[in-house]
Amino acid sequence: MTHTNTSTWGKIEAPAVLVTRKLPDAVEDRLRRTYKAFLNPDDRLYSSDELLNKASEADIIIACHTEKFTADVIARLPERVVAICNFSVGYDHVDTAAAKSRGIIVTNTPDVLSDATAETAMLLLLGAARRASEGEMLVRTRQWRDWSPSFMVGLQVTGKRLGILGMGRVGQVMAQRARGFGMEIHYHNRRPLDPAAEHGAIYHPTVDNLLPHCPFLSIHCPATPETQGLLDARRFGLLPKNAVVVNTARGAIIDDDALIAALRSRQIFAAGLDVFNNEPEIHPGYRELTNAFLLPHIGSATRETRDAMGFRALDNLDAIVAGREPKDRVA
Ligand code: DGY
């Protein structure tokens, strides 16, 4: 059946929903109660061709950032697909202009993962500053031999200045957590926050203005054509020597060669990274660096948050099927 008017759904038969990855049980249960659900219980990553093939039976797709909806993929989606409801806040994996031009609705899941992602950013900040990855390796590989005053000395976080690049929902929660460590917050955002929301954070009108103030820097802006490779060799050079850089946003914001060179030369003390270009085939240079604290894109990976992301995606789906405007429409 081809749907041109979503408000007629439900009167004919349950809309068919293709889910690209294994979702939390509670989310799949709710989905199955109302829709004809095509699930992926083995959690296999579909190729674009497989995805397109499976989409031939779907009216709506619940997708993750692991599936790339390029202009070409969107052009080849079956006519009946009317929406892509993402199980993610980031939607850089979807060519939204292509979706818009085909009239395909695209939604995301903001708000619900801000706490979990800020927790991960804080973990990376502390772990990078205190050399957690290096220390853990020493213990696990039985290379820990001794204690001395000069052993494994890192950087103290308490009371230092933290720069936040992108003061959206996650950035603001990160600022709040960092204040618990007595950190002074500086930030850059497209627009300054209302003074009431700043809680004393200091706004810098450009990235270049912000960086010299940041012995610690946490990245929270979306990946867009404007932020692609934003942190390059020149900008890393604007940070104070021995800075710590944390990224829980998207790998694309960082020029890997530039960061790896700065970590190798110790111009940058350490990096804490949860996201990378070309995941999971990350730049091999990172694996060799003892001053890189690396996590496998688990920013939002808590039970509570993954449930909440799923329910938020379903709320958007329900709205689309009911012919209402979904809360989190991005295209
Ligand atoms: C997000 O929600 O964008 C996370 O990175 C997982 O995709």
Side-chain angles (χ1 to χ4, degrees):
M1 99 185 145
T2 302
H3 303 285
T4 45
N5 178 0
T6 55
S7 63
T8 63
W9 269 337
K11 291 178 191 156
I12 312 159
E13 64 184 52
V17 181
L18 171 67
V19 183
T20 61
R21 305 303 301 260
K22 172 83 188 87
L23 299 183
D25 289 344
V27 177
E28 291 190 349
D29 288 348
R30 174 174 146 188
L31 180 73
R32 265 194 302 247
R33 281 200 288 276
T34 317
Y35 301 100
K36 185 171 172 196
F38 294 99
L39 303 177
N40 181 357
D42 301 327
D43 202 21
R44 217 164 43 76
L45 178 62
Y46 298 145
S47 67
S48 297
D49 285 341
E50 269 178 299
L51 179 72
L52 288 164
N53 194 23
K54 288 180 184 295
S56 64
E57 297 190 80
D59 302 305
I60 294 182
I61 303 175
I62 298 188
C64 294
H65 78 270
T66 46
E67 293 79 51
K68 310 292 171 224
F69 289 88
T70 59
D72 174 57
V73 170
I74 288 180
R76 290 163 62 208
L77 279 174
E79 189 70 14
R80 64 183 285 173
V81 173
V82 297
I84 301 168
C85 295
N86 287 299
F87 182 95
S88 66
V89 65
Y91 53 90
D92 48 302
H93 56 288
V94 181
D95 187 321
T96 48
K100 239 185 219 165
S101 73
R102 268 205 56 183
I104 294 176
I105 298 171
V106 182
T107 62
N108 71 340
T109 57
D111 302 320
V112 290
L113 42 62
S114 305
D115 286 337
T117 307
E119 279 182 8
T120 303
M122 209 61 221
L123 168 70
L124 290 169
L125 184 77
L126 293 168
R130 300 300 299 273
R131 303 169 60 180
S133 189
E134 205 182 330
E136 213 228 9
M137 204 153 57
L138 290 179
V139 178
R140 280 187 190 280
T141 58
R142 297 174 185 270
Q143 292 179 71
W144 176 32
R145 306 251 180 268
D146 191 13
W147 183 95
S148 95
S150 57
F151 176 61
M152 287 282 309
V153 176
L155 300 178
Q156 190 145 319
V157 167
T158 303
K160 300 281 173 60
R161 228 179 285 136
L162 170 66
I164 295 189
L165 187 51
M167 198 59 140
R169 303 169 183 92
V170 182
Q172 289 179 50
V173 178
M174 178 62 176
Q176 226 178 330
R177 302 293 174 263
R179 282 188 199 100
F181 283 83
M183 299 186 92
E184 179 184 289
I185 310 299
H186 290 239
Y187 74 102
H188 169 70
N189 207 34
R190 270 169 305 177
R191 283 175 295 278
L193 300 181
D194 286 341
E198 275 183 330
H199 300 287
I202 297 156
Y203 179 67
H204 295 267
T206 68
V207 180
D208 287 13
N209 285 150
L210 170 71
L211 296 177
H213 299 274
C214 305
F216 292 86
L217 177 72
S218 192
I219 302 168
H220 297 285
C221 56
T224 63
E226 294 74 44
T227 62
Q228 167 103 26
L230 181 70
L231 290 176
D232 56 9
R234 184 186 70 78
R235 289 208 168 96
F236 284 129
L238 296 176
L239 288 167
K241 187 155 169 50
N242 277 322
V244 170
V245 174
V246 166
N247 190 6
T248 52
R250 282 292 185 263
I253 297 156
I254 284 181
D255 172 338
D256 289 329
D257 286 327
L259 178 56
I260 288 166
L263 287 165
R264 265 194 201 127
S265 69
R266 304 278 163 162
Q267 181 222 328
I268 288 182
F269 180 81
L273 307 174
D274 183 50
V275 287
F276 302 86
N277 285 297
N278 200 30
E279 295 171 7
E281 299 307 322
I282 68 170
H283 192 307
Y286 285 122
R287 298 188 215 275
E288 290 156 21
L289 291 166
T290 53
N291 54 346
F293 182 21
L294 311 174
L295 294 177
H297 202 144
I298 55 168
S300 60
T302 67
R303 290 176 182 176
E304 297 85 345
T305 293
R306 287 288 154 88
D307 280 355
M309 289 167 75
F311 293 137
R312 186 88 175 217
L314 293 191
D315 291 346
N316 286 316
L317 190 160
D318 289 346
I320 293 165
V321 170
R324 285 185 276 110
E325 182 68 8
K327 188 167 175 192
D328 306 311
R329 183 171 187 163
V330 295

